[in-house]
Amino acid sequence: MQRFKQDELADSGAMLLGRTTYEIFAGSWPDETGDFAERFNALPKYVASTSLKGLDWKPAELLKGALPDAIRELKQAAAATSMCMAA
């Protein structure tokens, strides 16, 4: 499993997260150290939420508008970038 997660992270250019997962990750990952944590923390994070007003775990951006449209725009902007998705 560890090897799979390392490979997945190495192939990811960004994370697409829902509010709950973002809050869980943001509550612990910024304090982690090591190669995996450094890469994980450095990835851009795109967060789907209508209730969050700000994001402290950077780099991060709240998706705006309808989720399908926001995802379509992300895909078009980074056609060659794969994303690690978590709900």
Side-chain angles (χ1 to χ4, degrees):
M1 180 57 83
Q2 182 178 3
R3 177 69 179 172
F4 172 79
K5 294 308 284 181
Q6 288 173 331
D7 289 347
E8 178 184 52
L9 184 63
D11 290 340
S12 296
M15 284 188 267
L16 175 61
L17 305 167
R19 179 195 53 82
T20 300
T21 303
Y22 172 82
E23 289 179 325
I24 291 168
F25 285 2
S28 62
W29 276 103
D31 297 326
E32 296 296 323
T33 60
D35 292 340
F36 187 92
E38 286 178 26
R39 170 78 174 133
F40 198 73
N41 285 319
L43 280 176
K45 298 143 198 66
Y46 297 98
V47 183
S49 174
T50 57
S51 60
L52 287 175
K53 302 301 178 213
L55 304 171
D56 295 327
W57 185 32
K58 305 289 184 191
E61 179 181 328
L62 277 170
L63 296 176
K64 297 186 182 6
L67 187 56
D69 296 335
I71 299 300
R72 193 174 304 109
E73 288 178 25
L74 281 175
K75 285 177 150 183
Q76 291 172 350
T81 301
S82 65
M83 290 191 182
C84 175
M85 293 184 243

